[in-house]
Amino acid sequence: MTTSSRRYHITTFGCQMNKADSERMAGILEDMGFEWSEDPNQADLILYNTCTIRDNAEHKVYSYLGRQAKRKHEQPDLTIVVSGCVAQQEGEALLRRVPELDLVMGPQHTNRLQDLLQQVFDGNQVVATEPVHIMEDITKPRRDSSVTAWVNVIYGCNERCTYCVVPNVRGVEQSRTPEAIRAEIEEIGRLGYKEVTLLGQNIDAYGRDLPGVTPEGRHLNTLTDLLYYVHDVPGIERIRFATSHPRYFTERLIKACAELPKVCEHFHIPFQSGDNEVLKRMSRGYTHEKYRRIIDTIRRYMPDASISADAIVGFPGETEQQFENTLKLVDDIGFDLLNTAAYSPRPGTPAAIWDEQLSEEIKSDRLQQLNHLVGIKAAERSQRYMGRTEEVLVEDQNTKDKTQVMGRIRGNRLTFFTGDINKLKGKLVQVKITEVRAFSLTGEEIPVLVC
Ligand code: SAH
Ligand code: SF4
Ligand code: F3S
């Protein structure tokens, strides 16, 4: 079958890992001759890259799928693909539920999309969910941004947090080699990107599965070593990384971040709960005291660092007192941003079948209380930027006010200022902050004096 002039649309749910996978799959589809269609209903191939981290994330995809399955009855050559974490979790069962599907593929198969589609075009209905070694991708991702880029450094997760589906759906840890990572960043630098975010579900685990020393005797097997190794790539001005796990976060890594000028002073380190008993039952492998020590150490090296995290409320058996310990941690630390969620029982995870599941009312009440505090603390944290000059990397126009551009400061807060996107896109601009809100800032460009 010829693919010329066929159009595709990808809808992505879930985390940065999924976004990065979607960009790679878009690259593969464009290599095959497909063209992007903004409107999913005009596309000949529709791909849903799915998330199953919580129940509502999973449900969303089923309602989307229902609509496309209907369309297939009128347009039989429509190709429907489900990739990502729901695909991995459900596998064959998804085909039984939605028989109109052509391809169900787990995240480890992302780079094999072309092969798998070939099988579909040969007339097969395909399920690809068996664990595989993730091959290096030879096509170029179609990246959403031309300024910032994701770079996967480690796939999968070897942890066993008792609430979490990720290890079941993303498989065991597989680190890319430092050479492959550097080569991708060099290419990104050549293409004019200014910022990279190194990605992993548990990025501090980077390199555990790699040999420790290269033939030249260079030691490259930790995230810290990787940061030193990629730091001088020409063109790249900023480096970020996510997500960090408190169990593995070292002072050596903190020191490297303080020392390396391109590494931004922003740390995303989920703590999940502020109570030691809950943390233990979550199998997180640290205490709130250890978490606090990590943040103290970061602030000792980089007093202005931004700290963000994830937290869960209403874990099975969480008492009012234990929940208050989470509030206390949030109050004490003062996060710049906190992603919060009510506990959602996930199939195949230990905590899902424990007694003592809390009611939806308690969970949503605690979520509300926590979110209220998060907003207050983030607004307090924003105050420190008032009147200060911050470096903003301009990414886009402000969609709500076309006279403004938007970008992020090194501490990751979204920042708006008046300017022409055609002149400023991809530029690092010094901006004086004139207005602060909990999660974003507004400022004015400081003109550069040319003598
Ligand atoms: N690897 C990262 C986060 C992965 S998932 C880490 O270890 O921190 C992203 C976030 O989703 C988690 O940090 C957690 O806060 C949330 N999450 C995961 N499973 C959940 C569940 N069953 N119910 C509610 N939130 C969940
Ligand atoms: Fe899930 Fe825990 Fe792995 Fe994070 S570290 S992805 S929460 S199992
Ligand atoms: Fe969701 Fe899978 Fe990411 S479950 S959060 S898309 S790893």
Side-chain angles (χ1 to χ4, degrees), residues 3-9 29-30 33-37 43-44:
T3 55
S4 61
S5 85
R6 293 199 78 197
R7 289 186 294 173
Y8 76 98
H9 185 91
L29 289 169
E30 298 210 346
F34 280 89
E35 280 170 29
W36 172 254
S37 160
D44 308 287

Side-chain angles (χ1 to χ4, degrees), residues 295-368:
I295 307 302
D296 285 348
T297 311
I298 291 174
R299 288 180 168 160
R300 184 150 46 79
Y301 281 92
M302 291 160 274
D304 194 47
S306 295
I307 313 285
S308 61
D310 304 345
I312 298 176
V313 300
F315 188 69
E318 183 190 69
T319 64
E320 192 57 39
Q321 180 57 50
Q322 289 170 335
F323 167 63
E324 273 167 29
N325 286 338
T326 293
L327 291 177
K328 178 150 178 32
L329 185 76
V330 171
D331 196 31
D332 291 348
I333 296 223
F335 289 95
D336 291 274
L337 174 76
L338 185 67
N339 305 318
T340 57
Y343 169 73
S344 169
R346 306 309 293 132
T349 60
I353 49 167
W354 290 351
D355 299 337
E356 314 171 280
Q357 301 287 329
L358 301 188
S359 70
E360 292 306 318
E361 289 71 29
I362 294 182
K363 287 196 263 184
S364 77
D365 178 60
R366 287 183 187 172
L367 188 59
Q368 241 176 351

